[in-house]
Amino acid sequence: MIDHLVYAMPDLARADGLGIDLSEGGSHVGRGTRNLLAGLGDGAYLEVIGPDPDQPEPDEPRPFGIDELTEPRLVAWAVRVRDIHDVVGRAKTKGYDPGPVLPMSRRRPDGVLLEWQLTPMTAGIMPFLIDWGGTPHPTESLPPGQELVSLTGFHPTPEEVHKGLEALGEHLVVNQGPFGLLAVLRTPNGEVVLR
């Protein structure tokens, strides 16, 4: 189940030009990022993430290659799971290692603390896994308006991606081509394509 799409920007001030109604998400303290969110229906959302000018430079590079971005890009997608340690263990037995499970948190603008666990947030065709546990899911506080119509991956050797997806029990249409993701959203302002 798609939890969210990650659209990274070198400057969140440019997010108004996307044609998507975005809500303030919050800051990832210590990581040097903050995000804006939009509900996509069916319990999924869009995360628009970029540098947080109100935080000092982080000790480590920002996630998703944000520090190297020169233009916005759809960089990743996340799959929502329950019992993330079990899902990672089963994937490993099938030949795919999603990586270690890491804790994260952020505080919403209304003061509510969200805490979750995930596998490494790397840009790529393969999803990272996220387990929200008992914390409120971000879509619970997002207004409706946008809808995810499709998500497609592109990779020089799609069969390699399909093996990993199969180990996770997930599906994504992956076409042969230069590495990347493409999402089509239906919005009140018309169709929006994110690459």
Side-chain angles (χ1 to χ4, degrees):
M1 174 180 186
I2 294 176
D3 185 76
H4 67 280
L5 308 180
V6 181
Y7 191 69
M9 302 187 78
D11 182 0
L12 283 179
R14 294 171 50 194
D16 288 344
L18 291 175
I20 299 170
D21 295 328
L22 296 163
S23 300
E24 187 68 39
S27 293
H28 304 106
V29 177
R31 294 187 179 264
T33 57
R34 73 178 183 93
N35 62 17
L36 305 170
L37 308 176
L40 296 178
D42 293 328
Y45 68 97
L46 172 68
E47 175 183 25
V48 179
I49 187 171
D52 183 353
D54 294 331
Q55 289 189 57
E57 285 293 314
D59 294 333
E60 298 178 2
R62 291 176 179 91
F64 306 114
I66 288 172
D67 295 323
E68 287 80 41
L69 285 178
T70 56
E71 60 185 39
R73 190 165 71 98
L74 184 61
V75 292
W77 61 297
V79 169
R80 188 180 329 162
V81 299
R82 294 181 191 266
D83 194 351
I84 193 168
H85 293 282
D86 180 60
V87 175
V88 167
R90 283 187 281 122
K92 285 180 179 179
T93 65
K94 295 178 181 178
Y96 176 71
D97 185 355
V101 175
L102 311 166
M104 270 195 77
S105 66
R106 73 170 166 82
R107 196 166 294 279
R108 290 190 327 207
D110 63 5
V112 173
L113 179 66
L114 304 181
E115 297 178 288
W116 63 93
Q117 295 179 305
L118 46 64
T119 55
M121 301 177 296
T122 55
I125 305 300
M126 286 299 296
F128 61 95
L129 307 177
I130 189 164
D131 183 343
W132 291 95
T135 207
H137 191 266
T139 57
E140 294 176 21
S141 61
L142 292 175
Q146 287 71 219
E147 178 187 354
L148 176 61
V149 176
S150 65
L151 176 65
T152 307
F154 297 88
H155 194 276
T157 52
E159 58 278 0
E160 290 179 22
V161 179
H162 288 133
K163 288 178 189 174
L165 289 169
E166 190 175 305
L168 291 174
E170 296 298 328
H171 176 75
L172 174 70
V173 173
V174 182
N175 296 321
Q176 187 170 24
F179 171 87
L181 291 166
L182 183 144
V184 178
L185 311 182
R186 186 176 293 121
T187 82
N189 304 317
E191 191 173 88
V192 173
V193 176
L194 301 176
R195 304 174 194 276

